[in-house]
Amino acid sequence: MEEDAFYEYFAPRAEEAGFKKGEKSGFDKGKDQERASILDSQRATLCATVLGRFGDVPASITTAINKAQNLDSLVEMRVYTLTSANSLDDLVAYAQTALY
């Protein structure tokens, strides 16, 4: 069979580009999964902190925590829960402004 110069030139480059694209896609997917896992872990930790401090986690707090997409916001709310919140009402008010 006759060798095709066009194929010989472009096939390795196309294959390499495909590998790079697949590698980047897999890396991005892994980063997204890791971020989601970290957020879920922080959400659970925050719920446990609220439960330990106040003995209850109202639905409004749970909803706010589950909607949070920012790790810093979750950490700040946990610090607030541990240091400044005097009641669940304080925490609800904080959650409504800080996590959105």
Side-chain angles (χ1 to χ4, degrees):
M1 184 171 193
E2 184 179 317
E3 288 191 26
D4 183 350
F6 185 78
Y7 176 82
E8 291 295 322
Y9 179 80
F10 285 105
R13 286 166 180 76
E15 184 177 21
E16 183 179 337
F19 283 135
K20 286 181 181 178
K21 183 177 180 181
E23 185 178 64
K24 181 177 180 343
S25 174
F27 179 74
D28 290 344
K29 184 177 180 182
K31 279 182 21 183
D32 291 345
Q33 289 173 340
E34 181 180 11
R35 181 179 182 278
S37 177
I38 290 169
L39 285 173
D40 287 344
S41 174
Q42 287 302 312
R43 287 182 183 114
T45 301
L46 179 51
C47 284
T49 302
V50 173
L51 183 64
R53 178 95 197 273
F54 297 108
D56 190 19
V57 183
S60 57
I61 296 290
T62 302
T63 300
I65 290 170
N66 289 336
K67 286 184 178 181
Q69 297 297 312
N70 183 312
L71 180 62
D72 291 338
S73 295
L74 291 168
V75 170
E76 288 171 10
M77 184 170 174
R78 184 166 181 236
V79 169
Y80 181 81
T81 301
L82 290 168
T83 61
S84 301
N86 294 318
S87 68
L88 282 173
D89 291 336
D90 287 349
L91 198 54
V92 168
Y94 180 88
Q96 290 174 343
T97 59
L99 294 180
Y100 297 114

